[in-house]
Amino acid sequence: MGDRLVLLPVRAGMGEHAPRPVRRAVACMMAGALVQAVSTLVAWLDRDGTRAQTARLAHEFQRRTLPAGELERATDQARWFGLVTGAFFVVLWLLVARLCLRGRASGRTCATVLAIVYTFTFLLSGVRSFGPGALIGAVTMTLGLATVYLLWRRPVTPWLSSQGAARAARRTR
């Protein structure tokens, strides 16, 4: 991988001295953003699948079949909700990666909290089948956990401390 991470532009003061675990964690986060973007796009394009899932959920939770107009409105709402939340999580992956690459301890904390929340949500969601959705969820969970593992490796904490001290020194000048 060399000294620089190719996936993000690195300029002076932004990660050029990041230890290898941080660079690998950032690569995991870039992969997570890509998986999230592809999954969001696929879900957006699969209108029939969203309609079928909306109808199934309405029947399961409301014990009724939705009329055609109501089903179409609910399908549109579900698609837009999925698109907006998917885009939000892509941006979140990228922001946390940037924080980590810049040596911000808050990036490591954010990555840890998000990975824990996603892992518990995924495991407790009661995945009913091991289709594409479950596979994408498992890949996302694995990338999040790998990111956290890498960010808590031994060389990372001293580097984060030194980056924080350097920022504090620049502010006092």
Side-chain angles (χ1 to χ4, degrees):
M1 209 194 288
D3 284 345
R4 294 193 167 206
L5 181 67
V6 179
L7 297 172
L8 277 180
V10 178
R11 62 177 194 264
M14 189 177 149
E16 62 269 53
H17 300 295
R20 181 173 285 163
V22 172
R23 294 191 312 265
R24 287 184 176 166
V26 169
C28 286
M29 288 183 261
M30 294 293 106
L34 180 63
V35 167
Q36 182 68 52
V38 169
S39 132
T40 299
L41 180 62
V42 167
W44 173 260
L45 295 174
D46 186 19
R47 183 176 178 79
D48 293 336
T50 304
R51 183 183 302 113
Q53 183 178 12
T54 302
R56 182 184 60 78
L57 290 172
H59 187 346
E60 187 175 320
F61 291 109
Q62 296 179 358
R63 306 277 188 233
R64 69 184 184 105
T65 302
L66 294 176
E70 198 174 330
L71 179 59
E72 289 306 311
R73 278 191 303 280
T75 299
D76 288 341
Q77 289 173 350
R79 289 179 71 224
W80 280 106
F81 180 77
L83 182 67
V84 170
T85 56
F88 172 78
F89 282 108
V90 168
V91 170
L92 195 59
W93 276 103
L94 297 174
L95 288 174
V96 172
R98 181 176 169 89
L99 286 172
C100 291
L101 197 59
R102 293 190 75 175
R104 302 282 184 155
S106 60
R108 178 169 70 172
T109 303
C110 287
T112 303
V113 168
L114 292 171
I116 290 170
V117 168
Y118 186 84
T119 299
F120 281 116
T121 302
F122 178 74
L123 293 176
L124 298 176
S125 68
V127 176
R128 297 176 187 181
S129 67
F130 291 100
L135 179 62
I136 289 171
V139 167
T140 304
M141 180 183 70
T142 303
L143 287 168
L145 293 174
T147 296
V148 170
Y149 169 75
L150 290 166
L151 290 175
W152 286 95
R153 299 283 312 269
R154 185 172 300 227
V156 176
T157 300
W159 177 74
L160 289 174
S161 297
S162 71
Q163 295 297 305
R167 274 191 304 278
R170 283 192 301 269
R171 278 191 300 244
T172 59
R173 286 186 218 170

